[in-house]
Amino acid sequence: MRKYLLILLLIMSYSFDAFSQSDSTNVYLKALKVHLVDKEEIYKMNPKLKNLNEIYIEKDSYSTNGIPENVNGKKVYVVTRDEILKLNKEGKLKSLIAIRPVTWKKESLRISVIEFLVISKRKKLYYTNLGGEEFEINGFTLKRVDNVHGNYD
């Protein structure tokens, strides 16, 4: 049974990669958009926080395919590990969003969108979880299931 479940998850993972090419079916893009809308609400409630017009997303071979250059009015940069090191060294990287590939959790398919503070020392990256959101996939609709609590919540 586990063998069939693993095969099913692998097939679905590849199919989500194929679906990530169009905006209307890209569940990763939908999750990112919802996360950014929720983040905007936080900025509205806390005017002292600086709302940046640029966001940096950690490159992933499954979840970042098809992410456009602009999402919800923000300039999006999908960055590799080397680019993260360079941006961090230049002081341009304030936070990094990671869109985790679909996983099987609590008997459903889930996607996590997590924000990190990234510090680099001698070509090593250290991630501090700032929190995020977890979404359940039903067909191609998303349902927010949980907030992912960060180290500073």
Side-chain angles (χ1 to χ4, degrees):
M1 180 68 178
R2 284 184 172 187
K3 180 179 174 182
Y4 294 114
L5 183 60
L6 180 62
I7 292 170
L8 176 65
L9 281 174
L10 285 172
I11 291 169
M12 291 184 82
S13 176
Y14 286 113
S15 69
F16 279 119
D17 186 40
F19 281 122
S20 72
Q21 302 307 314
S22 93
D23 286 357
S24 64
T25 57
N26 186 337
V27 291
Y28 298 113
L29 179 57
K30 287 180 183 181
L32 176 63
K33 285 181 176 182
V34 171
H35 175 73
L36 292 176
V37 166
D38 291 346
K39 200 171 167 186
E40 285 296 322
E41 291 299 317
I42 292 171
Y43 285 118
K44 285 178 185 174
M45 293 186 301
N46 300 294
K48 291 183 181 179
L49 293 175
K50 187 174 182 183
N51 190 355
L52 302 174
N53 291 324
E54 300 174 334
I55 59 170
Y56 295 93
I57 299 175
E58 182 180 45
K59 184 172 178 60
D60 180 83
S61 59
Y62 293 108
S63 61
T64 59
N65 287 343
I67 299 290
E69 291 181 6
N70 288 297
V71 176
N72 292 8
K74 302 215 178 273
K75 179 75 174 149
V76 175
Y77 298 97
V78 178
V79 292
T80 63
R81 183 185 185 288
D82 290 336
E83 291 169 327
I84 293 168
L85 285 167
K86 182 181 176 190
L87 288 165
N88 211 332
K89 187 176 182 179
E90 295 170 354
K92 292 182 180 177
L93 188 65
K94 303 299 179 202
S95 67
L96 180 72
I97 294 175
I99 305 170
R100 297 295 184 222
V102 66
T103 58
W104 182 260
K105 184 177 174 185
K106 297 180 184 175
E107 300 185 11
S108 65
L109 293 172
R110 309 263 175 131
I111 293 173
S112 295
V113 179
I114 308 167
E115 194 129 2
F116 291 100
L117 172 67
V118 182
I119 299 169
S120 61
K121 288 186 182 179
R122 296 187 186 153
K123 301 227 177 210
K124 277 190 147 181
L125 294 173
Y126 299 93
Y127 290 72
T128 301
N129 185 341
L130 298 176
E133 297 174 276
E134 186 173 67
F135 301 91
E136 181 179 52
I137 303 169
N138 283 328
F140 284 99
T141 60
L142 292 176
K143 174 185 167 192
R144 184 180 306 105
V145 179
D146 196 12
N147 285 331
V148 178
H149 297 284
N151 296 347
Y152 295 109
D153 285 347

